[in-house]
Amino acid sequence: MKDLQALPEEAFKKDFGGKTRTVADIVYEVNLVNDHVGMVIRGEEPFVWPEGAAWIKAPEGFGAKDDVIAAFQKSSEKIISTVDAYSVEELEAPLQTEDGETNRAERCRFMTLHVWYHGGQLNFIQTLLGDDAWHWK
């Protein structure tokens, strides 16, 4: 959240050379993963993952800094409250998914690594824009 807040408004829609994704695109994908994992953890039928494009892109109209941050906060709060509702035993219990057997804790690890990976991309974008400060310390 602090990294997103530190980025300038123009970073959310900026394309660095035609092949990169914008900050809005990255956050949109993170939110999709958070929401998908949350549905799996809660035992809901998850939505079908978007196919076809090489990279997930934000929908038209999703790109203003305040909107992207609000969507990230909403998605984050929902998955945190989902995970907090389970005991350690429930997190480690077997869970059947479309990809086979796993558990809620493994899905949380995947989601955490996914956020971490994209956080690094946001930090790289930050440096491309001339900001090399650590905003999340």
Side-chain angles (χ1 to χ4, degrees):
M1 183 62 74
K2 290 179 181 179
D3 286 328
L4 289 173
Q5 291 167 337
L7 286 166
E9 176 76 37
E10 64 270 12
F12 286 76
K13 295 180 187 173
K14 184 168 179 60
D15 181 341
F16 293 89
K19 297 292 182 180
T20 60
R21 294 189 294 167
T22 65
V23 169
D25 294 334
I26 292 167
V27 174
Y28 181 74
E29 180 190 318
V30 165
N31 293 347
L32 278 179
V33 168
N34 289 354
D35 295 345
H36 195 275
V37 168
M39 294 173 86
V40 169
I41 287 173
R42 290 187 300 271
E44 300 168 4
E45 182 68 32
F47 56 86
V48 176
W49 191 253
E51 297 290 337
W55 299 104
I56 299 292
K57 300 289 251 174
E60 200 65 39
F62 183 80
K65 180 177 180 173
D66 289 343
D67 294 341
V68 172
I69 289 174
F72 177 73
Q73 184 165 357
K74 180 180 176 184
S75 176
S76 297
E77 288 172 356
K78 186 171 183 177
I79 192 60
I80 288 168
S81 67
T82 293
V83 174
D84 283 348
Y86 291 98
S87 68
V88 171
E89 294 77 20
E90 290 170 319
L91 289 171
E92 293 174 352
L95 177 69
Q96 199 60 38
T97 71
E98 61 197 32
D99 296 320
E101 188 174 293
T102 187
N103 61 50
R104 291 177 181 94
E106 184 284 323
R107 295 286 68 212
C108 291
R109 278 189 294 278
F110 164 76
M111 185 178 48
T112 301
L113 289 172
H114 184 255
V115 171
W116 188 30
Y117 169 81
H118 287 299
Q121 290 179 322
L122 296 178
N123 290 147
F124 185 65
I125 289 170
Q126 169 192 329
T127 63
L128 290 173
L129 297 170
D131 180 359
D132 64 354
W134 293 83
H135 297 285
W136 47 269
K137 282 180 24 175

